[in-house]
């Protein structure tokens, strides 16, 4: 069997990005402000993580105006969902492997 | 050994985060308790206003007393407004305590999902009132409220879905026993809200 470590996603290795992915996997879409509040991180670091995930095409960004205020919503892509699932499965494998030892 | 706890902790925190991102955690159990108390107070008031005259079971009672209808509608409206504003107050307080905002992604979705069956039900109730089917008002309220709760339960604590099922069952039973609507209404909106409010408060607020 291949080492479960190999299945861990490089981008989601960072806990901030993994947290963003888990919120987007659980919801149809999520907006910047709610995400920031939920994760309790700064605008800057959230924006950086979002950029990294967008570059991997794990998420899509949708900018629009609600009541003339800018609103940015994020959605997980199919690719992102597959990668997230694989990453979580690998984490589960690792936990199981250590338990069995 | 240290790594083991780390991965497990990671997974647990992700699960927790996913749940928190979906559910409206600011909804307070006290909101349910207060809504239940208001509903019981309203039911007692209406009982002494209308039911005590013992003619409510006759279909023509309201034809002879049209002003009673407006009276009842006013009581219903006041009860609704009091419940919603008290609910908002307690939920605002809880939101502040747990460090989240009341109006976020999940609460918006919850309110939309709740309002669609609720407004349809409200319109339907006004129409059956217009046609004079007074006896069907309480069952219709219970049925639509139950459906609204189930529709919104995706973004609420799991227990709320069961409250929705109970409201629907009560609504169906009360549509068989026409004339006892107020009693079923008091159980559905009063007693059940208080019981659920206390349960939720003890589980999630304390």
């Amino acid at each position: 069997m291949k080492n479960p470590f190999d299945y861990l996603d490089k981008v989601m290795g960072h806990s901030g990005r993994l947290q963003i992915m888990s919120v987007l996997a659980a919801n149809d879409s999520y907006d910047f402000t709610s995400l920031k509040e939920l994760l309790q991180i700064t605008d800057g670091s959230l924006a950086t993580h979002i950029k990294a995930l967008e570059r991997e095409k794990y998420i899509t960004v949708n900018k629009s105006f609600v009541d003339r205020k800018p609103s940015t919503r994020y959605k997980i892509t199919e690719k992102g969902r597959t990668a997230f699932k694989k990453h979580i499965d690998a984490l589960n494998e690792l936990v199981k492997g250590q338990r069995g030892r | 050994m240290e790594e083991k706890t780390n991965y497990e902790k990671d997974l647990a925190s992700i699960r927790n985060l996913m749940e928190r991102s979906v559910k409206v955690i600011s909804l307070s159990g006290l909101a349910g308790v207060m809504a239940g108390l208001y509903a019981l107070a309203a039911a007692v008031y209406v009982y002494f206003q209308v039911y005590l005259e013992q003619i409510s079971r006759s279909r023509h009672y309201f034809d002879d007393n049209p002003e009673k209808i407006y009276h009842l509608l006013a009581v219903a409206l006041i009860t609704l407004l009091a419940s919603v504003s008290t609910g908002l107050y307690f939920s605002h307080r809880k939101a502040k305590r747990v460090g989240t905002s009341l109006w976020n992604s999940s609460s918006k979705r919850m309110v939309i999902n709740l309002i669609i069956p609720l407004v349809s039900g409200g319109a339907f109730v006004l129409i059956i009132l217009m046609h004079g089917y007074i006896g069907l008002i309480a069952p219709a309220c219970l049925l639509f409220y139950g459906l609204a709760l189930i529709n919104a339960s995706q973004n609420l604590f799991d227990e709320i879905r069961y409250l929705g099922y109970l409201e629907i069952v009560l609504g169906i039973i009360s549509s068989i026993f026409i004339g006892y609507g107020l009693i079923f209404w008091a159980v559905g909106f009063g007693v059940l809200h208080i019981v659920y409010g206390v349960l939720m408060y003890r589980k999630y607020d304390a």
Side-chain angles (χ1 to χ4, degrees), chain B residues 12-50:
Chain B
S13 83
I14 288 167
R15 222 169 289 131
N16 176 277
L17 182 67
M18 288 171 93
E19 178 157 322
R20 269 194 303 141
S21 73
V22 175
K23 313 249 184 238
V24 180
I25 47 170
S26 50
L27 185 68
S28 167
L30 292 178
V33 175
M34 291 309 290
L37 290 177
Y38 293 152
L40 280 186
V44 168
Y45 177 79
V46 169
Y47 179 82
F48 283 111
Q49 283 293 311
V50 178

Side-chain angles (χ1 to χ4, degrees), chain A residues 5 18-19 22-23 26-31 34 37-40 73 88 91-92 94-95 98-99, chain B residues 3-4 7-8 10-11 13-15 17-18 20-22 98-101 104-106 108-109 155:
Chain A
F5 275 108
L18 179 57
Q19 285 182 327
S22 52
V23 174
N27 294 273
D28 279 345
S29 68
Y30 228 70
D31 65 278
S34 305
E37 193 187 275
L38 184 69
L39 303 180
Q40 309 210 311
R73 300 197 70 86
I88 295 292
L91 283 178
N92 272 321
L94 284 169
V95 170
Q98 279 158 337
R99 262 207 203 119
Chain B
E3 255 183 324
K4 162 187 177 174
Y7 286 130
E8 279 195 278
D10 278 356
L11 282 169
S13 83
I14 288 167
R15 222 169 289 131
L17 182 67
M18 288 171 93
R20 269 194 303 141
S21 73
V22 175
V98 296
T100 175
S101 66
N104 59 20
S105 203
S106 30
K108 274 179 214 169
R109 209 166 307 160
N155 296 106

Side-chain angles (χ1 to χ4, degrees), chain B residues 49-67:
Chain B
Q49 283 293 311
V50 178
Y51 266 53
L52 211 57
E53 299 178 33
Q54 283 298 320
I55 29 185
S56 58
R57 263 167 248 157
S58 115
R59 278 189 56 183
H60 303 290
Y61 173 66
F62 286 100
D63 294 343
D64 307 330
N65 306 272
E67 79 286 348

Side-chain angles (χ1 to χ4, degrees), chain B residues 120-171:
Chain B
S120 327
F124 182 67
V125 164
L126 285 180
I127 291 165
I128 58 177
L129 184 66
M130 223 170 68
H131 289 304
Y133 297 114
I134 309 289
L136 284 176
I137 289 176
C141 287
L142 290 164
L143 279 170
F144 278 96
Y145 182 58
L147 291 171
L149 287 181
I150 292 168
N151 204 39
S153 65
Q154 185 200 345
N155 296 106
L156 292 167
F157 292 119
D158 295 334
E159 288 83 353
I160 300 285
R161 180 175 298 116
Y162 297 102
L163 176 59
Y165 294 147
L166 287 176
E167 301 284 3
I168 289 178
V169 170
L170 264 183

Side-chain angles (χ1 to χ4, degrees), chain B residues 26-35 38 79-95 102:
Chain B
S26 50
L27 185 68
S28 167
L30 292 178
V33 175
M34 291 309 290
Y38 293 152
T79 312
L80 180 69
L81 285 177
S83 304
V84 170
S85 48
T86 312
L88 282 175
Y89 167 74
F90 281 115
S91 299
H92 175 74
R93 230 177 49 166
K94 189 178 168 192
L102 195 57

